[in-house]
Amino acid sequence: MKKRTFIKLSSALMTAPVFSPLTDWLADDKLKNWAGNYEYSTDKLYPAKSTGQVQEIVKKYSKLKVLGTRHCFNSIADSPHNFISVRPMDQVVALDTNARTVTVDAGMSYGQLCPYLESKGFALHNLASLPHISIAGACATATHGSGVRNGNLATSVSALEIVTANGDVVKLSREKDGETFRGAVVNLGALGVITHVTLDVQPTFRMRQDVYENLPIAQLKDNFEAIMSSGYSVSLFTDWQKNRVNEVWIKRRVAKGVTLTAKPEFYGARLATRNLHPIAELSAENCTEQMGVPGPWYERLPHFRMGFTPSSGKELQSEYFVPRQNAVEAILAVERLRDQISPHLLISELRTIDADNLWMSTCYKQPSLAIHFTWKQDWPAVRQVLPLIEKELAPFKFRPHWGKLFTMSPSLLQSRYEKLTDFKQLVKQYDPQGKFRNDFLQTNLYS
């Protein structure tokens, strides 16, 4: 979005009447996602500044979708009818220091919440690569972060407030609502409008980040678990060429009074002598501090700094989750496609995520390896490559990231989720007329 449009949109969110769409403000720019690869099907966007306003908008329209920070690469959030935005709802509602929870408005981003928590002596268990994404949207799509013992971001959710299709406010909690709650957290935007989210927090902690270059891919065959367990959060970046992983990012917690060091060599990789971008040719200016310098958890867990926009787009993303027990086989299967992949690839990232019990999570009952692809923005070419990758990963019963690009058939996708029937019953209970159902949900869950 152009700078002038952003300023106009921000002003509109503050002053527009509750039922006035922001169409006029967006006339000089089509409404697109963050990367610019997806153009939404309507520009009728209604901002809400309170749960009450959300209820009014939901009651007024027969078809509606929530549009958040627009970091999805596919049509999961699209609508040809109307959008509602809760971005103006971006405040901390309550911090319960005894229960160790924080309740926030659904429009708040992790970048907004983290400095607040740090100032109060608390932290979240994990963060995604980008801190710019909304909390509600990240949890609704099972966006994850990394760590062999760290669940995805949705696993920290302990309560939700949802405005359902008829305008009712429903409150669910892990403590009181059991299976219904576990079905609602990763909701894919199908249940209603999330207005408040309660997250588990823990005492704040400090971290350091060390990067190694050129890890022989052969080392993964014998030492995968040791490599991925070498830090609180570990990421491997590779272009699939030269039989090596380009960069290993190791993020470690630093206990008070304890000094950690980094060995010059790590399974054949060499310690970097400067800050690096995941794509080595690019400047590391926007990346979080490396070189073993300790800092707050929220300035080390993401790959990109809070105060910077990490990209203006010009990329596509896909991501596939496989059982961690098949991680090495899956990596080697993709590596066999290196010559088909490389012409269209910017970089790949390999991360581990722990299992959870959230019905529609990509890690439901499955400790996972996530194989992520950041592509050049050439969808016709990428669309030809994805089926090749999916064919190689088929023996491992992969699950694609809900908000990224994939080509697998709906029937195969549905077979990956044993609680899908229960989830559709939950959707029917909260949205019996399909107010929040769009083409993405119709195709992938119901066809």
Side-chain angles (χ1 to χ4, degrees), residues 5 38 58 95 109 284 326 365:
T5 307
Y38 191 88
V58 168
L95 176 64
S109 71
N326 303 126
K365 292 186 177 180

Side-chain angles (χ1 to χ4, degrees), residues 343-357:
H344 315 295
L345 186 73
L346 293 173
I347 200 69
S348 276
E349 182 178 9
L350 310 175
R351 287 184 284 179
T352 53
I353 309 96
D354 204 2
D356 59 59
N357 59 8

Side-chain angles (χ1 to χ4, degrees), residues 190-262:
L191 300 184
V193 183
I194 306 299
T195 48
H196 293 115
V197 183
T198 301
L199 305 173
D200 296 330
V201 296
Q202 59 182 272
T204 186
F205 55 92
R206 292 174 66 78
M207 304 192 77
R208 62 176 285 162
Q209 183 168 220
D210 298 285
V211 176
Y212 290 83
E213 297 183 87
N214 299 317
L215 174 78
I217 204 163
Q219 291 286 350
L220 297 179
K221 299 176 184 178
D222 298 323
N223 302 295
F224 177 80
E225 286 295 330
I227 290 168
M228 301 308 290
S229 301
S230 61
Y232 184 83
S233 173
V234 176
S235 292
L236 310 181
F237 292 98
T238 180
D239 60 7
W240 304 102
Q241 294 295 307
K242 300 179 181 178
N243 297 308
R244 56 90 168 93
V245 170
N246 305 43
E247 300 174 14
V248 182
W249 290 37
I250 303 174
K251 304 166 190 275
R252 292 183 287 168
R253 292 179 64 145
V254 180
K256 189 174 182 179
V258 176
T259 301
L260 297 179
T261 59

Side-chain angles (χ1 to χ4, degrees), residues 64-278:
L64 197 65
K65 289 300 292 182
V66 180
L67 195 60
T69 46
R70 292 182 279 160
H71 276 79
C72 288
F73 291 80
N74 58 27
S75 62
I76 189 171
D78 199 11
S79 169
H81 305 286
N82 304 284
F83 289 122
I84 183 172
S85 171
V86 295
R87 292 293 302 281
M89 298 173 60
D90 63 354
Q91 301 298 307
V92 173
V93 177
L95 176 64
D96 188 331
T97 58
N98 293 322
R100 290 190 177 178
T101 62
V102 64
T103 300
V104 300
D105 288 336
M108 177 169 269
S109 71
Y110 286 97
Q112 292 170 292
L113 175 60
C114 291
Y116 169 84
L117 288 179
E118 173 68 15
S119 72
K120 302 297 182 181
F122 289 98
L124 299 173
H125 84 291
N126 210 352
L127 291 172
S129 298
L130 303 179
H132 310 72
I133 57 179
S134 71
I135 294 168
C139 295
T141 53
T143 298
H144 50 94
S146 179
V148 294
R149 290 179 292 276
N150 297 328
N152 64 34
L153 303 185
T155 60
S156 68
V157 176
S158 61
L160 290 171
E161 180 183 275
I162 308 171
V163 174
T164 60
N166 62 5
D168 289 343
V169 176
V170 173
K171 296 183 179 181
L172 299 173
S173 72
R174 184 193 298 142
E175 181 181 357
K176 296 180 181 179
D177 296 290
E179 282 297 296
T180 298
F181 172 79
R182 289 188 277 276
V185 177
V186 180
N187 56 75
L188 311 181
L191 300 184
V193 183
I194 306 299
T195 48
H196 293 115
V197 183
T198 301
L199 305 173
D200 296 330
V201 296
Q202 59 182 272
T204 186
F205 55 92
R206 292 174 66 78
M207 304 192 77
R208 62 176 285 162
Q209 183 168 220
D210 298 285
V211 176
Y212 290 83
E213 297 183 87
N214 299 317
L215 174 78
I217 204 163
Q219 291 286 350
L220 297 179
K221 299 176 184 178
D222 298 323
N223 302 295
F224 177 80
E225 286 295 330
I227 290 168
M228 301 308 290
S229 301
S230 61
Y232 184 83
S233 173
V234 176
S235 292
L236 310 181
F237 292 98
T238 180
D239 60 7
W240 304 102
Q241 294 295 307
K242 300 179 181 178
N243 297 308
R244 56 90 168 93
V245 170
N246 305 43
E247 300 174 14
V248 182
W249 290 37
I250 303 174
K251 304 166 190 275
R252 292 183 287 168
R253 292 179 64 145
V254 180
K256 189 174 182 179
V258 176
T259 301
L260 297 179
T261 59
K263 296 179 180 179
E265 186 174 338
F266 179 80
Y267 293 97
R270 302 297 298 179
L271 185 65
T273 56
R274 68 193 190 286
N275 284 349
L276 294 175
H277 190 283

